[in-house]
């Protein structure tokens, strides 16, 4: 896409996103796709709150008991639900989160988790949230178990947390892992007066991971193996062969979360901003001009079988919007984010009962080659996608409100 066409598309997308957030969209009837098309057509007026609609639809499908076990996809979704609660103050949303967490946390703060993987730590964010909301000490006790586990958790030679302690994950850093633990860390530190450790640790983890995973052009590879023994590891660099979109999406969100938390004079701040600046440039370069979304294997959109994936597109949209709003990256990335937002909204539809559906979400994924990634299952309403959508949508609502106030 040449410069003139890209500027025109971004201007059009900005107007479209504003309409969708504050009075634009498709009049929603049964089975009607909520289309955020990029062809310049004017959508019908609507006042739909897409975060609330998605949460209400999910709560109609699940109870706190049936939504699933202690896991990072459910934890991600419920974190997005909490963001929606913070804006709407709908007590049902917070009550659901508490009833879910209380399945796993005893009255004495006991929690039946060994925390032998970073994945198992992500839902710990809900513990700090519930302590802040309720003041109940049991949530502090449970959250401290994660903090304490990190004292003995295995690391690479330069300090990066292994993705998991299992032999099949030994010595490995996965880009996914930085989101599983570092946002929890900085929130734990803020809630319980432990910022001197948590801010330094989180910033250091992102820096170590970035050093091993970021490649020329700004993108990150999915994983790195210090031992070079994994079948996917390059024998010279230790890196996985591909840039899987959701792995990079996890990293991008964690990076912005940690930058939001650490002080302006933190010694790692400049390094993290450099990583984000390079990553943002790579994301802009590989954004699909036809849809505004990003491909499952980010930099190989022209190859056969590749497809644009919804959860990572939400993650990148969030990170670029927040990064631009906070001044971590250039302001023009807000326009890239708006284009991504319109692309994600095109994946939202309503079922026959009027409940939202979010399509084309990659199922959970290991490290592999190009054929492996593009062959992954494409789910509807997978929690990876629902959670990322809510985080993105709340950010876009907030940033557009702030821009409106500044005009």
């Amino acid at each position: 896409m040449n410069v003139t066409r890209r500027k025109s598309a971004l201007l059009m997308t900005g107007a479209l996103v504003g309409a969708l957030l504050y009075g634009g969209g498709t009049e929603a009837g049964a089975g009607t796709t909520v289309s955020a098309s990029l062809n310049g057509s004017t959508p019908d007026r609507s006042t739909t709150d897409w975060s609330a609609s998605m949460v209400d639809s999910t709560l109609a499908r699940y109870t706190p008991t049936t939504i699933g076990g202690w896991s990072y996809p459910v934890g991600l979704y419920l974190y997005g639900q909490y963001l929606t609660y913070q804006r709407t103050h709908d007590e049902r949303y917070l009550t659901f989160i508490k009833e879910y967490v209380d399945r796993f946390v005893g009255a004495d703060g006991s929690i039946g988790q060994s925390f032998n993987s970073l994945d198992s730590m992500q839902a710990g964010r809900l513990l700090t949230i519930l302590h802040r909301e309720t003041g109940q000490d049991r949530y502090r006790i449970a959250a401290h178990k994660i903090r304490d586990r990190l004292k003995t958790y295995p690391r690479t030679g330069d300090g990066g947390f292994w993705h998991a302690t299992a032999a099949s994950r030994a010595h490995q850093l996965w880009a996914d892992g930085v989101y599983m633990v570092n946002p929890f860390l900085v929130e734990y530190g803020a809630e319980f007066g432990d910022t001197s450790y948590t801010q330094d640790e989180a910033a250091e983890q992102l820096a170590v991971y970035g050093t091993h995973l970021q490649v020329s052009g700004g993108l990150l590879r999915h994983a790195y193996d210090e031992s070079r023994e994994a079948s996917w590891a390059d024998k010279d660099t230790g890196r996985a062969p591909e840039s899987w979109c959701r792995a990079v999406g996890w990293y991008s969100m964690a990076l912005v979360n940690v930058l939001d938390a650490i002080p302006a004079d933190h010694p790692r701040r400049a390094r993290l901003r450099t990583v984000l600046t390079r990553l943002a440039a790579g994301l802009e370069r590989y954004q699909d001009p036809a849809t505004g979304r990003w491909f499952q294997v980010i930099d190989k959109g022209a190859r056969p079988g590749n497809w644009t994936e919804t959860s990572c597109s939400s993650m990148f949209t969030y990170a670029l919007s927040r990064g631009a709003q906070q001044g971590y990256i250039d302001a023009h990335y807000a326009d890239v984010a708006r284009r991504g937002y319109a692309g994600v909204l095109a994946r939202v539809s309503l079922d026959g009962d009027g409940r939202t559906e979010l399509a084309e979400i990659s199922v959970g994924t290991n490290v592999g080659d190009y054929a492996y990634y593009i062959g992954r299952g494409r789910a509807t309403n997978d929690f990876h996608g629902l959670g990322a959508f809510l985080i993105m949508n709340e950010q876009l609502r907030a940033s557009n409100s702030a821009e409106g106030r500044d005009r």
Side-chain angles (χ1 to χ4, degrees):
M1 177 180 284
N2 63 39
V3 174
T4 301
R5 287 178 61 199
R6 180 173 289 277
K7 285 182 177 179
S8 176
L10 289 173
L11 287 170
M12 178 190 69
T13 303
L16 174 60
V17 169
L20 285 164
L21 281 169
Y22 301 111
T26 298
E27 196 77 33
T32 302
T33 298
V34 182
S35 177
S37 66
L38 299 179
N39 61 12
S41 61
T42 302
D44 295 336
R45 300 290 295 178
S46 172
T47 56
T48 301
D49 180 338
W50 291 116
S51 292
S53 181
M54 195 160 287
V55 171
D56 288 342
S57 297
T58 305
L59 268 55
R61 294 178 174 121
Y62 299 99
T63 69
T65 301
T66 63
I67 197 169
W70 181 269
S71 71
Y72 77 87
V74 177
L76 174 74
Y77 165 74
L78 290 176
Y79 177 75
Q81 180 168 306
Y82 178 70
L83 296 180
T84 309
Y85 162 76
Q86 286 187 300
R87 176 174 56 81
T88 64
H89 307 292
D90 189 326
E91 289 294 332
R92 295 177 302 140
Y93 300 169
L94 183 61
T95 297
F96 188 102
I97 295 169
K98 186 177 185 303
E99 291 180 0
Y100 165 80
V101 171
D102 288 353
R103 290 170 50 203
F104 309 101
V105 177
D108 60 353
S110 58
I111 182 170
Q113 299 290 324
S114 57
F115 298 113
N116 287 328
S117 70
L118 299 185
D119 286 353
S120 67
M121 301 178 189
Q122 191 280 334
R125 297 181 87 176
L126 305 178
L127 301 173
T128 61
I129 285 169
L130 289 174
H131 182 269
R132 182 166 62 250
E133 292 289 345
T134 71
Q136 293 181 22
D137 197 48
R138 61 172 168 161
Y139 301 119
R140 178 194 62 81
I141 295 169
H144 183 72
K145 185 172 181 180
I146 302 175
R147 164 70 170 87
D148 198 52
R149 178 69 180 92
L150 294 176
K151 294 177 181 178
T152 58
Y153 194 84
R155 301 171 183 249
T156 58
D158 52 358
F161 291 134
W162 291 6
H163 192 64
T165 63
S168 62
R169 302 291 184 267
H171 310 287
Q172 295 174 20
L173 309 180
W174 293 24
D176 325 39
V178 294
Y179 190 83
M180 304 303 155
V181 66
N182 294 302
F184 161 79
L185 266 179
V186 294
E187 291 163 7
Y188 176 95
E191 181 68 14
F192 302 114
D194 193 18
T195 56
S196 60
Y197 163 72
T198 60
Q199 291 179 356
D200 287 350
E201 182 74 88
E204 182 67 15
Q205 291 299 319
L206 282 161
V208 169
Y209 273 66
T211 296
H212 290 299
L213 296 176
Q214 193 164 45
V215 295
S216 61
L219 299 182
L220 285 78
R221 295 293 185 249
H222 186 173
Y224 161 80
D225 179 13
E226 182 180 43
S227 71
R228 279 38 171 200
E229 293 180 358
S231 60
W232 46 259
D234 183 275
K235 299 309 177 186
D236 294 323
T237 67
R239 294 189 189 111
E242 304 291 356
S243 295
W244 176 49
C245 70
R246 192 160 65 226
V248 183
W250 291 123
Y251 187 96
S252 70
M253 292 202 300
L255 190 53
V256 171
N257 289 167
V258 172
L259 282 169
D260 279 349
I262 63 177
D265 62 351
H266 193 280
R268 281 294 189 186
R269 191 173 186 85
R271 166 64 176 148
L272 298 187
R273 286 191 62 175
T274 297
V275 173
L276 180 59
T277 297
R278 294 181 60 209
L279 175 56
L283 294 176
E284 181 179 23
R285 180 178 304 114
Y286 292 111
Q287 185 178 36
D288 179 28
T291 67
R293 297 185 293 269
W294 283 267
F295 285 91
Q296 174 81 331
V297 179
I298 303 174
D299 55 342
K300 296 182 177 178
R303 286 190 56 176
N306 210 348
W307 49 284
T308 59
E309 200 277 333
T310 303
S311 66
C312 76
S313 296
S314 298
M315 293 173 174
F316 295 147
T317 296
Y318 164 79
L320 293 173
S321 174
R322 182 66 179 173
Q325 181 186 34
Q326 295 292 87
Y328 306 146
I329 51 179
D330 189 79
H332 86 273
Y333 286 108
D335 292 328
V336 182
R338 290 188 187 98
R339 185 170 174 80
Y341 181 68
V344 172
L345 285 180
R347 289 273 168 83
V348 180
S349 63
L350 300 179
D351 67 14
D353 295 320
R355 298 172 183 168
T356 60
E357 296 203 316
L358 187 66
E360 296 292 294
I361 304 164
S362 176
V363 298
T365 297
N366 207 321
V367 183
D369 58 13
Y370 178 81
Y372 171 76
Y373 290 116
I374 66 167
R376 298 303 290 159
R378 310 184 198 188
T380 297
N381 297 332
D382 184 287
F383 289 124
H384 296 88
L386 297 181
F389 178 93
L390 293 172
I391 293 168
M392 171 200 70
N393 199 53
E394 290 306 298
Q395 166 59 28
L396 266 290
R397 289 184 64 96
S399 65
N400 277 272
S401 292
E403 289 174 9
R405 289 193 299 269
D406 292 341
R407 290 193 185 103

